[in-house]
Amino acid sequence: MKEECSEQRYTVLKAHLQNSTNHPQKSPKPHQNNKNPPRQQDPALNPKSHNQTSPNANKNWSRRRGRGGRKSDQGDACTRPSSRPCTASNKPVISEDRSTGDIVPEILCTQNGGSLVKFQSSSRSCNFAQRPGYGQVGTRCMVKANHFFAELPQKDLNQYDVTITPEVASRAVNRAIIAELVRLYRESELGMRLPAYDGRKNLYTAGELPFAAKEFTVKLLDDDVGNNCPKREREYKVLLRLVARANMHHLGEFLSGKRADAPHEALQILDIVLRELSTKRYCPIGRSFFSPNIRAPQRLGEGLESWCGFYQSIRPTQMGLSLNIDMASAAFIEPLPVIEFVAQLLGKDVLTRQLSDSDRVKIKRALRGVKVEVTHRGNVRRKYRVSGLTTQPTRELVFPVDDESNMKSVVEYFQEMYGFTIQSTHLPCLQVGNQKKANYLPMEACKIVEGQRYTKKLNDKQITALLRVTCQRPRDRENDILRTVQHNSYNQDPYAREFGIQISEKLASVEARILPAPWLKYHETGKEKDCLPQVGQWNMMNKKMINGMTVNRWACINFSPSVQDSIARGFCTELAQMCQVSGMEFVPEPVIPIYRARPEQVEKALKHVYHAAMNKTRGKELELLLAILPDNNGSLYGDLKRICETDLGLISQCCLTKHVFKISKQYLANVSLKINVKMGGRNTVLLDAISCRIPLVSDIPTIIFGADVTHPENGEDSSPSIAAVVASQDWPEVTKYAGLVCAQAHRQELIQDLYKTWQDPVRGTISGGMIRDLLISFRKATGQKPLRIIFYRDGVSEGQFYQVLLYELDAIRKACASLEPNYQPPVTFIVVQKRHHTRLFANNHRDRSSIDKSGNIMPGTVVDTKICHPTEFDFYLCSHAGIQGTSRPAHYHVLWDENSFTPDGIQSLTNNLCYTYARCTRSVSVVPPAYYAHLAAFRARFYTEPEPHQENGSLGTCSGDKTKGPRTESGVKPLPALKENVKRVMFYC
């Protein structure tokens, strides 16, 4: 997506949007809502009241395919200002547009001799929903947050563009150059200023330097050689040029709620200033800092270790500027001799044993891109980056030593040149440098350089070990955060003092409320017909599912060699009985005897069971397939789900061997819950939903969406991103959700298939997409069209809020308009964030009435004051009880609200929905529609077939390559379609 709109495009958007911002004091009632979404004008999509829809159109709503508007171009949407550093040609400041009264960014740029000029930017053309007030429901209490008040500096901040010649790619080298420049010239040319530097193109000062532009000469010594060796000296030219000024008065007005537009550049400068000293002390990665000295590193296995560190970010809040500090951990490559690292990686002695081909592949993958230093040259510790691994052992490697093609072996060269005798000549050499001119380094002559983060996927054992390190009880985490703040001593930081920034060393004390748990409704035939959860949990004792389904035809397939037939039969019998006790009708015997199969023959085995059952039932399809899997089953689980859900149309339930041997009533009860919703049933519903007492849900037919996009792991450059959308299919219960999934371009966050059109040679323009299909599905299931839309969107970072809202709200509008003229139900669009670093702690850890068993704050704790956004409609909600570690509250940000929710309304609805999660009898940490979308997207990852890779890392094809086939416009292979009976139910549970 384009970072900015053109001025012409901005003018069109501006005319359309200038009266459409959300102002709570003027919000219309839901039934009379005439607001337009922030998108381009489309004559077919003028939002009008649902009361104006045509009765005749309503009758064939679920069958007719109308013509939709053109598909939205990503370039049409203006984006929220990014967190990227400003450049000389993009320096936003803020001014008022006198023609419209709107506040819009401006850009400072240099023209004709370096004079500063201004022009308007289109990077912000609409406001998000403004906070309509504060919640009142719930028991009031005080909590502490890991936010530390930062006093706003009174100085204006200046930004200078940095040009280093010759150009340097390394941030570390850039920082060394600027550090040397400051050391040499601070007292003279820099006027005693102490600047902060971002490592790239931007340098910041408190107050102006004595010049507008000046070039400096800096000489730097090469650190790659030893202490006793002559160092090479490099000369750099550094040009500093004033490009922008950030106004602190604007930031003060924003923090006090007088202005709606955040001065992102001023915030970015303050963030860089506070990071400057930590960047010199620690290893910076993203917004976090790590060091082996903060806490002793813990081994994770296979040559990795965990480093402790802390996260740091300056944030605008209602209490003013806040410094958010949290503890962090990450996996680093252990700084070992390479041979020792390889031995740990392979789990065997490599000094005496030969390497297999698979060993070589594993070593190459692990070491590619890793920086090593040589150890065979005494004090000379030259560093290299590994590019590969030789296919031959060291003793067989030779290379030309002159133009006459005279050859010399690597063993001879190291002996003659350095007096170094290579002992492990049976091992391959590391290749360093590029492929055209690669150098050979013996493994035993190299050591891994300290401080390299491991970015590839961890295995299960490493993840368990890392979680063991990071899992801290709330009191311990709070103490570590306070120690970190005291150790960093921000008030003594020379950079913070230079810029006039003062940081409190006390955790913010915040007023919170504990929302009451909702009553849950169960079936009338159970001993307990309703239930009030206690501390976020309950159980199924004496209760029956409110809508238990019937399973008449089921089968079991056993892929575990250690599970005997008699044990498998006993487990199936126990599970069938638990389903019956829980309220389902479950035939005790399978259609065919339990079938034993080998994991490598999963497709053949599944089709055999499918057809054998069809023959036994005279053409009636299986309703459920139970599968017993080995505990470590590799790709078996994913293959089974892909075949069942996209090929055979089977609903399946997998059970691991360890649970089959150790049958637990709690485990069987949880599995029965999953089976019931996969079959189309409901386990429980909110009592208020049955009684039609949920504000802005129960009054008119309301559909609740959840959406998420999951991206491939680091290093998977060709894998697509997976988008998933789920939507409630029952009203007023809002408990059952159907889901759809699609593949889209690599790391694309905007959901491309929410709405789409294509040309049919006979019917013309055809409309489709996930929103449209789910609206039709709701109509078929309930007999009514949705008259209100609530959309929970997961996985969006703050820098993407504008892009996602503009694009996806436009898609929702077009999907609605394609179904019926003038059909525009009011939309509330809420972003759900879990990947943030705000933590809430009990005000008194000794007060048992204010904490749960794990020492965390009580479920239902909501915060919408002090640490929340100064003007926008957001809140933190800890809806779940902690199990271990420190609970992370979910952050909900209402970006768009045409339904005029009150704070109590949206907070209570979100909290109550967290008690309807189908897979367990606990409230969950994220609102279920967003949780289900995440599960569906994760499931669909199994439907993708990875592109085969050649040894050199390039994509390869072969005869019979399954990856060949149709592609989307973005070049992504579509996912195989879900079978109709699968996508109607909660298959992802």
Side-chain angles (χ1 to χ4, degrees), residues 623-690:
E623 295 170 330
L624 175 68
L625 176 69
L626 298 178
I628 299 173
L629 308 184
D631 293 332
N632 298 311
N633 54 73
S635 64
L636 175 60
Y637 175 84
D639 291 340
L640 184 147
K641 292 296 183 181
R642 173 176 53 81
I643 295 165
C644 286
E645 291 161 5
T646 67
D647 187 5
L648 301 178
L650 281 177
I651 301 298
S652 59
Q653 176 61 52
C654 296
C655 304
L656 294 178
T657 297
K658 61 184 179 183
H659 297 305
V660 173
F661 278 118
K662 185 183 178 181
I663 300 177
S664 143
K665 294 291 185 185
Q666 182 64 57
Y667 173 75
L668 293 177
N670 285 343
V671 173
S672 68
L673 295 176
K674 295 174 68 174
I675 290 174
N676 188 51
V677 295
K678 287 180 181 182
M679 300 304 298
R682 297 186 191 90
N683 296 331
T684 186
V685 297
L686 297 171
L687 189 60
D688 280 353
I690 296 292

Coordinates of all heavy atoms in Angstrom, one line a residue, residues 623-690:
E623 N -20.5 -39.0 10.2 CA -20.7 -37.7 10.9 C -19.5 -37.2 11.7 O -19.2 -36.0 11.9 CB -21.9 -37.8 11.8 CG -23.2 -38.0 11.1 CD -24.3 -38.4 12.0 OE1 -24.1 -38.9 13.1 OE2 -25.5 -38.0 11.7
L624 N -18.7 -38.2 12.1 CA -17.5 -37.9 13.0 C -16.4 -38.9 12.8 O -16.7 -40.1 12.8 CB -17.9 -37.7 14.5 CG -16.8 -37.5 15.5 CD1 -16.2 -36.1 15.3 CD2 -17.3 -37.7 16.9
L625 N -15.2 -38.5 12.8 CA -14.0 -39.4 12.7 C -13.1 -39.1 13.9 O -12.7 -37.9 14.1 CB -13.2 -39.2 11.4 CG -11.9 -40.1 11.4 CD1 -12.3 -41.5 11.2 CD2 -11.1 -39.6 10.2
L626 N -13.0 -40.0 14.8 CA -12.0 -39.9 15.9 C -10.6 -40.4 15.4 O -10.6 -41.5 14.7 CB -12.4 -40.7 17.1 CG -13.7 -40.3 17.8 CD1 -14.1 -41.2 19.0 CD2 -13.7 -38.9 18.2
A627 N -9.6 -39.7 15.7 CA -8.2 -40.1 15.3 C -7.3 -40.1 16.5 O -7.2 -39.1 17.2 CB -7.7 -39.2 14.2
I628 N -6.6 -41.3 16.7 CA -5.6 -41.4 17.8 C -4.2 -41.2 17.2 O -3.9 -41.9 16.3 CB -5.7 -42.7 18.5 CG1 -7.1 -42.9 19.2 CG2 -4.6 -42.9 19.6 CD1 -7.4 -44.3 19.8
L629 N -3.5 -40.2 17.6 CA -2.2 -39.8 17.0 C -1.1 -40.0 18.0 O -1.3 -39.9 19.2 CB -2.2 -38.3 16.6 CG -3.4 -37.8 15.7 CD1 -3.1 -36.4 15.3 CD2 -3.5 -38.7 14.5
P630 N 0.1 -40.3 17.5 CA 1.3 -40.4 18.4 C 1.5 -39.0 19.0 O 1.1 -38.0 18.4 CB 2.5 -40.7 17.4 CG 1.8 -41.3 16.2 CD 0.5 -40.7 16.1
D631 N 2.2 -38.9 20.1 CA 2.4 -37.7 20.8 C 3.3 -36.7 19.9 O 3.1 -35.5 19.8 CB 3.1 -37.9 22.2 CG 2.1 -38.6 23.1 OD1 0.9 -38.4 23.0 OD2 2.6 -39.3 24.0
N632 N 4.3 -37.3 19.3 CA 5.1 -36.6 18.4 C 4.8 -37.1 17.0 O 5.3 -38.1 16.5 CB 6.6 -36.8 18.7 CG 7.0 -36.3 20.0 OD1 6.7 -35.1 20.4 ND2 7.7 -37.1 20.8
N633 N 3.9 -36.3 16.3 CA 3.4 -36.8 15.0 C 3.8 -36.1 13.8 O 3.3 -36.3 12.7 CB 1.8 -36.9 15.1 CG 1.2 -35.6 15.5 OD1 1.2 -34.7 14.7 ND2 0.7 -35.5 16.8
G634 N 4.7 -35.1 14.0 CA 5.2 -34.4 12.8 C 4.1 -33.7 12.0 O 3.3 -32.9 12.5
S635 N 4.0 -34.0 10.7 CA 3.0 -33.4 9.8 C 1.7 -34.2 9.8 O 0.8 -33.8 9.1 CB 3.6 -33.3 8.4 OG 3.8 -34.6 7.9
L636 N 1.6 -35.3 10.6 CA 0.4 -36.1 10.5 C -0.9 -35.3 10.8 O -1.9 -35.5 10.1 CB 0.5 -37.3 11.5 CG -0.7 -38.2 11.6 CD1 -1.0 -38.8 10.2 CD2 -0.4 -39.3 12.6
Y637 N -0.9 -34.5 11.9 CA -2.1 -33.8 12.3 C -2.5 -32.9 11.2 O -3.7 -32.9 10.8 CB -1.8 -33.0 13.6 CG -2.9 -32.1 14.0 CD1 -4.0 -32.6 14.8 CD2 -3.0 -30.8 13.6 CE1 -5.0 -31.8 15.1 CE2 -4.0 -30.0 14.0 CZ -5.1 -30.5 14.8 OH -6.1 -29.7 15.1
G638 N -1.6 -32.1 10.6 CA -2.0 -31.2 9.6 C -2.4 -31.9 8.3 O -3.4 -31.4 7.7
D639 N -1.8 -33.0 7.9 CA -2.2 -33.7 6.8 C -3.6 -34.3 6.9 O -4.5 -34.3 6.0 CB -1.3 -34.9 6.5 CG 0.1 -34.4 6.0 OD1 0.2 -33.2 5.5 OD2 1.1 -35.2 6.1
L640 N -3.9 -34.8 8.1 CA -5.2 -35.4 8.4 C -6.3 -34.3 8.3 O -7.4 -34.5 7.7 CB -5.2 -36.0 9.8 CG -6.5 -36.7 10.3 CD1 -6.1 -37.9 11.2 CD2 -7.4 -35.8 11.0
K641 N -6.1 -33.1 8.9 CA -7.1 -32.0 8.9 C -7.3 -31.6 7.4 O -8.4 -31.3 7.0 CB -6.6 -30.9 9.8 CG -6.6 -31.2 11.2 CD -8.1 -31.5 11.7 CE -8.1 -31.7 13.2 NZ -9.4 -32.0 13.7
R642 N -6.2 -31.5 6.7 CA -6.3 -31.0 5.3 C -7.2 -32.0 4.5 O -8.1 -31.6 3.7 CB -4.9 -30.8 4.7 CG -5.0 -30.5 3.2 CD -3.6 -30.3 2.6 NE -2.7 -31.4 2.9 CZ -2.6 -32.5 2.3 NH1 -3.4 -32.7 1.2 NH2 -1.7 -33.5 2.6
I643 N -6.9 -33.3 4.6 CA -7.6 -34.3 3.8 C -9.1 -34.3 4.2 O -10.0 -34.4 3.4 CB -6.9 -35.6 3.9 CG1 -5.5 -35.6 3.3 CG2 -7.8 -36.7 3.3 CD1 -4.6 -36.7 3.7
C644 N -9.3 -34.3 5.5 CA -10.7 -34.4 6.0 C -11.5 -33.2 5.7 O -12.7 -33.4 5.2 CB -10.7 -34.6 7.6 SG -10.2 -36.2 8.1
E645 N -11.0 -32.0 5.8 CA -11.8 -30.8 5.6 C -11.9 -30.3 4.2 O -12.8 -29.6 3.9 CB -11.2 -29.7 6.6 CG -11.5 -30.1 8.0 CD -10.6 -29.4 9.0 OE1 -9.8 -28.5 8.6 OE2 -10.7 -29.7 10.2
T646 N -10.9 -30.6 3.4 CA -10.9 -30.1 2.0 C -11.2 -31.1 0.9 O -11.5 -30.8 -0.2 CB -9.6 -29.3 1.7 OG1 -8.5 -30.2 1.6 CG2 -9.4 -28.2 2.7
D647 N -11.0 -32.4 1.3 CA -11.2 -33.5 0.3 C -12.4 -34.4 0.6 O -13.3 -34.5 -0.2 CB -9.9 -34.3 0.3 CG -9.9 -35.3 -0.8 OD1 -10.8 -35.4 -1.6 OD2 -8.9 -36.2 -0.9
L648 N -12.4 -34.9 1.8 CA -13.5 -35.9 2.2 C -14.7 -35.2 2.8 O -15.8 -35.8 2.8 CB -12.9 -36.9 3.1 CG -11.7 -37.7 2.6 CD1 -11.2 -38.7 3.7 CD2 -12.1 -38.5 1.3
G649 N -14.6 -34.0 3.4 CA -15.7 -33.4 4.0 C -16.0 -34.1 5.3 O -17.2 -34.2 5.7
L650 N -15.0 -34.5 6.1 CA -15.2 -35.2 7.4 C -14.9 -34.2 8.6 O -13.9 -33.5 8.5 CB -14.3 -36.4 7.5 CG -14.6 -37.7 6.8 CD1 -13.6 -38.7 6.9 CD2 -16.0 -38.2 7.3
I651 N -15.7 -34.3 9.6 CA -15.5 -33.6 10.8 C -14.6 -34.6 11.7 O -15.0 -35.7 11.9 CB -16.7 -33.2 11.6 CG1 -17.6 -32.3 10.7 CG2 -16.4 -32.6 12.9 CD1 -17.0 -31.0 10.4
S652 N -13.5 -34.1 12.1 CA -12.6 -35.0 12.9 C -12.2 -34.5 14.2 O -12.3 -33.2 14.5 CB -11.3 -35.2 12.0 OG -10.6 -34.0 11.8
Q653 N -11.9 -35.4 15.1 CA -11.4 -35.0 16.5 C -10.2 -35.9 16.8 O -10.3 -37.1 16.8 CB -12.5 -35.3 17.5 CG -12.0 -35.0 18.9 CD -11.6 -33.6 19.1 OE1 -12.3 -32.6 18.8 NE2 -10.4 -33.4 19.7
C654 N -9.0 -35.2 17.0 CA -7.8 -35.9 17.2 C -7.5 -36.0 18.7 O -7.8 -35.0 19.4 CB -6.6 -35.2 16.5 SG -6.8 -35.2 14.7
C655 N -6.9 -37.1 19.1 CA -6.6 -37.3 20.5 C -5.2 -37.9 20.6 O -4.8 -38.8 19.8 CB -7.5 -38.3 21.2 SG -9.3 -37.8 21.1
L656 N -4.3 -37.3 21.4 CA -2.9 -37.8 21.5 C -2.8 -39.1 22.4 O -3.7 -39.3 23.3 CB -2.0 -36.7 22.1 CG -1.9 -35.4 21.3 CD1 -1.0 -34.4 22.1 CD2 -1.2 -35.8 20.0
T657 N -1.8 -39.8 22.1 CA -1.6 -41.1 22.8 C -1.6 -41.0 24.3 O -2.1 -41.8 25.1 CB -0.3 -41.8 22.3 OG1 -0.4 -42.0 20.9 CG2 0.0 -43.0 23.0
K658 N -0.9 -39.9 24.8 CA -0.7 -39.8 26.3 C -2.1 -39.6 27.0 O -2.3 -40.0 28.1 CB 0.2 -38.6 26.6 CG -0.3 -37.2 26.1 CD 0.7 -36.1 26.4 CE 0.2 -34.8 25.8 NZ 1.2 -33.7 26.0
H659 N -3.1 -39.0 26.3 CA -4.4 -38.9 26.8 C -5.2 -40.1 26.7 O -6.1 -40.4 27.6 CB -5.2 -37.7 26.1 CG -4.5 -36.4 26.3 ND1 -4.2 -35.9 27.5 CD2 -4.1 -35.5 25.4 CE1 -3.6 -34.7 27.4 NE2 -3.6 -34.4 26.1
V660 N -4.9 -41.0 25.7 CA -5.6 -42.2 25.6 C -5.2 -43.2 26.7 O -6.0 -43.9 27.3 CB -5.3 -42.9 24.2 CG1 -5.9 -44.3 24.1 CG2 -5.9 -42.0 23.1
F661 N -3.9 -43.2 27.1 CA -3.4 -44.1 28.1 C -3.9 -43.6 29.5 O -4.3 -44.4 30.4 CB -1.9 -44.2 28.1 CG -1.4 -45.2 27.1 CD1 -0.6 -44.8 26.0 CD2 -1.7 -46.5 27.2 CE1 -0.2 -45.7 25.1 CE2 -1.3 -47.5 26.3 CZ -0.5 -47.0 25.2
K662 N -3.8 -42.3 29.7 CA -4.2 -41.7 31.0 C -5.5 -41.0 30.8 O -5.6 -39.8 30.6 CB -3.1 -40.7 31.5 CG -3.4 -40.2 32.9 CD -2.3 -39.2 33.2 CE -2.5 -38.6 34.6 NZ -1.5 -37.6 35.0
I663 N -6.6 -41.7 30.9 CA -7.9 -41.1 30.7 C -8.3 -40.3 31.9 O -8.4 -40.7 33.0 CB -9.0 -42.2 30.5 CG1 -8.6 -43.1 29.2 CG2 -10.4 -41.6 30.3 CD1 -9.5 -44.2 29.0
S664 N -8.6 -39.0 31.6 CA -9.0 -38.0 32.6 C -10.4 -37.5 32.3 O -10.7 -37.2 31.2 CB -8.0 -36.9 32.7 OG -8.6 -35.7 32.9
K665 N -11.2 -37.5 33.4 CA -12.6 -37.0 33.2 C -12.6 -35.6 32.7 O -13.4 -35.2 31.8 CB -13.3 -37.0 34.5 CG -13.6 -38.4 35.1 CD -14.6 -39.2 34.2 CE -14.8 -40.6 34.8 NZ -15.7 -41.4 33.9
Q666 N -11.7 -34.7 33.2 CA -11.6 -33.3 32.7 C -11.3 -33.3 31.2 O -11.9 -32.5 30.4 CB -10.6 -32.6 33.5 CG -10.5 -31.1 33.1 CD -11.7 -30.3 33.4 OE1 -12.2 -30.3 34.5 NE2 -12.3 -29.7 32.4
Y667 N -10.3 -34.1 30.8 CA -9.9 -34.2 29.4 C -11.1 -34.6 28.5 O -11.4 -34.0 27.5 CB -8.8 -35.1 29.2 CG -8.4 -35.3 27.7 CD1 -7.8 -34.4 27.0 CD2 -8.8 -36.5 27.1 CE1 -7.4 -34.6 25.6 CE2 -8.5 -36.7 25.7 CZ -7.8 -35.8 25.0 OH -7.5 -36.0 23.7
L668 N -11.8 -35.7 28.9 CA -12.9 -36.2 28.2 C -14.1 -35.1 28.1 O -14.7 -35.0 27.0 CB -13.5 -37.5 28.8 CG -12.6 -38.7 28.7 CD1 -13.2 -39.9 29.5 CD2 -12.2 -39.1 27.3
A669 N -14.3 -34.4 29.2 CA -15.3 -33.4 29.2 C -15.0 -32.3 28.2 O -15.8 -31.8 27.4 CB -15.5 -32.8 30.6
N670 N -13.7 -31.9 28.1 CA -13.3 -30.8 27.2 C -13.4 -31.3 25.7 O -13.8 -30.5 24.9 CB -11.8 -30.4 27.5 CG -11.7 -29.5 28.7 OD1 -12.7 -28.9 29.2 ND2 -10.5 -29.4 29.2
V671 N -13.0 -32.6 25.5 CA -13.2 -33.1 24.1 C -14.6 -33.2 23.7 O -15.0 -32.9 22.6 CB -12.5 -34.5 24.0 CG1 -12.8 -35.2 22.7 CG2 -11.0 -34.4 24.2
S672 N -15.5 -33.5 24.7 CA -16.9 -33.6 24.3 C -17.4 -32.2 23.9 O -18.3 -32.1 23.1 CB -17.7 -34.2 25.5 OG -17.7 -33.3 26.6
L673 N -16.9 -31.1 24.6 CA -17.3 -29.8 24.3 C -16.9 -29.5 22.8 O -17.7 -28.9 22.1 CB -16.7 -28.8 25.2 CG -17.1 -28.8 26.7 CD1 -16.3 -27.8 27.5 CD2 -18.6 -28.5 26.8
K674 N -15.7 -29.9 22.5 CA -15.2 -29.6 21.1 C -16.1 -30.4 20.1 O -16.4 -29.8 19.0 CB -13.8 -30.0 21.0 CG -12.9 -29.1 21.9 CD -11.4 -29.6 21.9 CE -10.8 -29.3 20.5 NZ -9.3 -29.7 20.5
I675 N -16.3 -31.6 20.4 CA -17.1 -32.4 19.4 C -18.5 -31.8 19.2 O -19.0 -31.7 18.1 CB -17.2 -33.9 19.9 CG1 -15.8 -34.6 19.8 CG2 -18.2 -34.7 19.1 CD1 -15.8 -36.0 20.4
N676 N -19.1 -31.4 20.3 CA -20.5 -30.9 20.1 C -20.5 -29.6 19.2 O -21.4 -29.5 18.3 CB -21.1 -30.5 21.5 CG -22.5 -30.2 21.4 OD1 -23.3 -30.9 20.9 ND2 -22.9 -29.0 22.0
V677 N -19.6 -28.7 19.4 CA -19.7 -27.5 18.5 C -19.2 -27.8 17.1 O -19.7 -27.2 16.1 CB -18.8 -26.3 19.1 CG1 -19.4 -25.9 20.4 CG2 -17.4 -26.7 19.3
K678 N -18.3 -28.8 16.9 CA -18.0 -29.2 15.6 C -19.1 -29.9 14.8 O -19.2 -29.8 13.6 CB -16.8 -30.2 15.6 CG -15.4 -29.6 16.0 CD -14.4 -30.7 16.0 CE -13.0 -30.1 16.4 NZ -11.9 -31.1 16.4
M679 N -20.0 -30.5 15.6 CA -21.2 -31.1 15.0 C -22.3 -30.0 14.8 O -23.4 -30.4 14.2 CB -21.7 -32.2 15.9 CG -20.7 -33.3 16.1 SD -20.1 -34.1 14.6 CE -21.6 -34.7 13.9
G680 N -22.1 -28.8 15.2 CA -23.1 -27.8 15.0 C -23.9 -27.4 16.2 O -24.9 -26.7 16.1
G681 N -23.6 -27.9 17.4 CA -24.3 -27.6 18.6 C -23.8 -26.4 19.4 O -22.9 -25.7 19.0
R682 N -24.5 -26.1 20.5 CA -24.0 -25.1 21.4 C -23.8 -25.7 22.8 O -24.6 -26.5 23.2 CB -25.1 -24.0 21.6 CG -25.4 -23.2 20.3 CD -26.4 -22.0 20.8 NE -27.0 -21.4 19.6 CZ -28.1 -21.8 19.0 NH1 -28.8 -22.8 19.5 NH2 -28.6 -21.1 18.0
N683 N -22.7 -25.3 23.5 CA -22.5 -25.8 24.8 C -23.2 -25.0 25.9 O -23.8 -25.5 26.8 CB -21.0 -25.8 25.1 CG -20.2 -26.8 24.1 OD1 -20.8 -27.8 23.7 ND2 -19.0 -26.5 23.8
T684 N -23.1 -23.7 25.7 CA -23.8 -22.8 26.7 C -24.1 -21.5 26.0 O -23.4 -21.2 24.9 CB -23.0 -22.6 27.9 OG1 -23.7 -21.8 28.9 CG2 -21.7 -21.8 27.6
V685 N -25.0 -20.7 26.5 CA -25.2 -19.3 25.9 C -25.4 -18.4 27.1 O -25.6 -18.8 28.3 CB -26.5 -19.3 25.0 CG1 -26.3 -20.1 23.8 CG2 -27.7 -19.6 25.8
L686 N -25.2 -17.1 26.9 CA -25.4 -16.1 27.9 C -26.9 -16.0 28.2 O -27.8 -16.0 27.4 CB -24.9 -14.7 27.4 CG -23.4 -14.6 27.1 CD1 -23.2 -13.3 26.4 CD2 -22.6 -14.7 28.3
L687 N -27.2 -16.0 29.5 CA -28.6 -15.9 30.0 C -29.2 -14.6 29.5 O -30.4 -14.6 29.1 CB -28.6 -16.0 31.5 CG -30.0 -16.1 32.1 CD1 -30.8 -17.4 31.6 CD2 -29.9 -16.1 33.6
D688 N -28.4 -13.5 29.4 CA -28.9 -12.3 29.0 C -29.2 -12.3 27.5 O -30.1 -11.6 27.0 CB -27.9 -11.2 29.2 CG -27.9 -10.6 30.6 OD1 -28.8 -11.1 31.4 OD2 -27.0 -9.8 31.0
A689 N -28.5 -13.2 26.7 CA -28.9 -13.3 25.3 C -30.2 -14.0 25.1 O -31.0 -13.6 24.3 CB -27.8 -14.1 24.6
I690 N -30.5 -15.1 25.9 CA -31.7 -15.8 25.8 C -32.9 -14.8 26.2 O -34.0 -14.8 25.7 CB -31.7 -17.0 26.7 CG1 -30.7 -18.0 26.2 CG2 -33.1 -17.7 26.8 CD1 -31.0 -18.6 24.9

